[in-house]
Amino acid sequence: MNTFTTINTEYLRPSRTIETILVSKVNSSKVFFLYNYEGTSFRLFENHMDLIHFFQDKSESDFYFNRECDVDSFLSSVKLNQ
């Protein structure tokens, strides 16, 4: 099982944030970016450029969730490159 830690939170508005999350397991780790829209829509990005393109309406998120517990479940089991 992976462990994950929020290493930075940027507040766009009080109810909209971008979290930088470090996911790790043994000797592997990966950074994800999570856009939390009012606690009802969670978009997860595998890299910073995809996040920027999303806000420029040039692309969609890599993963989409309706509940925070689904994000947590995904991050705890996502395969990390070794």
Side-chain angles (χ1 to χ4, degrees):
M1 180 176 276
N2 301 331
T3 59
F4 51 97
T5 306
T6 300
I7 55 177
N8 187 41
T9 301
E10 295 181 43
Y11 288 87
L12 306 176
R13 295 183 184 164
S15 61
R16 297 179 191 175
T17 61
I18 297 173
E19 296 176 38
T20 305
I21 302 170
L22 177 65
V23 180
S24 55
K25 180 177 184 178
V26 188
N27 293 328
S28 299
S29 64
K30 183 171 180 154
V31 172
F32 289 88
F33 300 91
L34 178 67
Y35 174 51
N36 177 349
Y37 180 83
E38 300 184 357
T40 60
S41 173
F42 301 90
R43 296 180 180 272
L44 191 66
F45 301 87
E46 293 189 279
N47 63 65
H48 196 246
M49 283 307 297
D50 288 346
L51 173 66
I52 291 168
H53 287 154
F54 172 76
F55 282 106
Q56 294 173 338
D57 292 327
K58 293 182 180 177
S59 70
E60 273 299 314
S61 59
D62 297 317
F63 304 97
Y64 175 81
F65 304 95
N66 290 318
R67 301 179 314 166
E68 190 171 5
C69 64
D70 294 335
V71 176
D72 293 349
S73 178
F74 175 82
L75 291 174
S76 40
S77 62
V78 66
K79 185 166 174 81
L80 302 176
N81 295 333
Q82 299 205 16

